[in-house]
């Protein structure tokens, strides 16, 4: 299924409201991962980016790209939505970086263009992973790294659509997650642990780490209601994959 047109429409429609609600959290300080804004300094996923060629898959308003450009990286922020790219352009500030419109499953870059490809609930949540991961691997140099954060299948399987919250009850089939219907015909994507391993290894990548970010007790989730409130302290809400291209 080609989800690009519907996903582009959705993000063009919701960009302004999304940034108004979430930019104060996403952009509060540099390098904050995921729904619970856990610092990379605690997770040690990204490493030093000084002088590296970096591609962010699904940059949104550029909060991550802006921070890494300020650290001395040569950054390209890619996004499907022109509204999101416009927001990134307005917020860019002194640390300049390139903005490119495109889809994670159809990257408009030559092979071996980047030292690091990464995203935080970006292109690898909103593009079919079996298409997007090989594209990310293609544009990495030998020794380059793919680092990305996505929702855990636990989180998705326990989501109660009727109540719009994550609960302690398994509600979706673990093996049936795959394509998740979003508003207005858009789609996001989820894989089992085993299928993530197959997709990553099938693209020729070596898995260096799988970090399951665990927020401290009382840390708010800025995106989803959970019952109990400290759900993610007890069960994995996110998967932060750290890989490289040998």
């Amino acid at each position: 299924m080609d989800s690009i047109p519907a996903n582009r429409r959705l993000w063009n429609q919701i960009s302004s409201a999304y940034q108004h609600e979430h930019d104060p959290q996403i952009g509060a300080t540099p390098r904050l991962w995921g729904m619970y804004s856990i610092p990379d300094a605690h997770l040690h996923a990204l490493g030093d980016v000084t002088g590296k060629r970096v591609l962010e898959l699904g940059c949104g308003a550029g909060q991550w790209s802006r921070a890494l450009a300020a650290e001395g990286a040569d950054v390209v922020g890619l996004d499907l939505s022109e509204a999101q790219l416009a927001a990134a352009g307005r917020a860019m500030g002194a640390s300049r970086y390139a903005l490119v419109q495109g889809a994670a499953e159809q990257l408009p870059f030559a092979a071996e263009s980047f030292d690091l490809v990464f995203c935080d609930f970006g292109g690898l949540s909103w593009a079919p992973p079996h298409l997007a991961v090989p594209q990310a691997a293609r544009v990495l140099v030998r020794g380059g790294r793919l680092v990305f954060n996505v929702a855990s299948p636990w989180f998705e399987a326990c989501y109660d659509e009727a109540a719009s919250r994550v609960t302690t009850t398994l509600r979706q089939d673990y093996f049936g997650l795959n394509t998740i219907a979003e508003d207005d015909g858009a789609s996001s994507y989820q894989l089992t642990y085993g299928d993530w391993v197959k997709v990553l290894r099938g693209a020729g990548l070596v898995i260096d780490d799988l970090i399951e970010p665990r927020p401290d007790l009382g840390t708010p989730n800025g995106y989803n209601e959970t019952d109990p409130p400290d759900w993610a302290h007890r069960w994995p809400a996110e998967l932060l994959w750290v890989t490289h291209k040998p």
Side-chain angles (χ1 to χ4, degrees):
M1 183 183 78
D2 182 2
S3 57
I4 292 173
N7 285 359
R8 179 183 173 192
R9 285 194 302 271
L10 174 67
W11 279 101
N12 280 337
Q13 291 166 6
I14 70 174
S15 172
S16 178
Y18 180 90
Q19 295 303 335
H20 178 77
E21 181 176 358
H22 297 297
D23 181 70
Q25 177 183 355
I26 304 171
T29 58
R31 292 186 179 231
L32 297 178
W33 286 108
M35 296 180 282
Y36 293 87
S37 298
I38 300 177
D40 189 60
H42 295 173
L43 301 176
H44 308 291
L46 218 56
D48 183 16
V49 299
T50 306
K52 295 189 183 299
R53 297 167 295 170
V54 177
L55 172 63
E56 182 176 7
L57 295 178
C59 66
Q63 293 90 349
W64 270 97
S65 287
R66 189 164 66 243
L68 299 189
E71 294 178 25
D74 179 10
V75 179
V76 175
L78 176 115
D79 205 278
L80 186 59
S81 160
E82 53 265 41
Q84 291 280 71
L85 291 171
R90 290 192 296 270
M92 189 172 295
S95 298
R96 312 301 292 179
Y97 61 94
L99 292 170
V100 174
Q101 186 171 16
E105 57 266 59
Q106 299 175 359
L107 292 179
F109 307 108
E112 301 190 2
S113 294
F114 298 97
D115 303 299
L116 170 67
V117 176
F118 84 99
C119 64
D120 185 14
F121 282 85
L124 291 180
S125 296
W126 291 89
H130 72 281
L131 300 177
V133 169
Q135 282 288 297
R138 179 183 65 81
V139 302
L140 280 172
V141 299
R142 298 287 175 184
R145 302 167 74 230
L146 171 64
V147 179
F148 63 98
N149 192 34
V150 294
S152 162
W154 286 59
F155 196 83
E156 299 288 357
C158 291
Y159 190 78
D160 184 342
E161 290 283 352
S164 297
R165 66 179 54 207
V166 180
T167 71
T168 57
T169 301
L170 292 170
R171 298 178 182 276
Q172 277 73 242
D173 291 348
Y174 173 79
F175 292 108
L177 292 170
N178 297 317
T179 303
I180 299 170
E182 304 287 351
D183 292 340
D184 297 324
S187 300
S188 62
Y189 297 87
Q190 178 59 268
L191 300 182
T192 66
Y193 285 82
D195 282 345
W196 274 120
V197 170
K198 288 185 180 69
V199 167
L200 291 165
R201 287 173 55 85
L205 296 168
V206 174
I207 298 168
D208 298 310
D209 202 358
L210 171 55
I211 301 167
E212 294 172 300
R214 188 186 188 198
D216 293 335
L217 286 168
T219 303
N221 180 325
Y223 298 83
N224 293 280
E225 294 291 331
T226 61
D227 183 17
D230 286 310
W231 193 99
H233 186 76
R234 300 174 62 188
W235 299 283
E238 299 170 314
L239 306 181
L240 179 50
W241 294 91
V242 181
T243 76
H244 77 274
K245 180 178 178 178

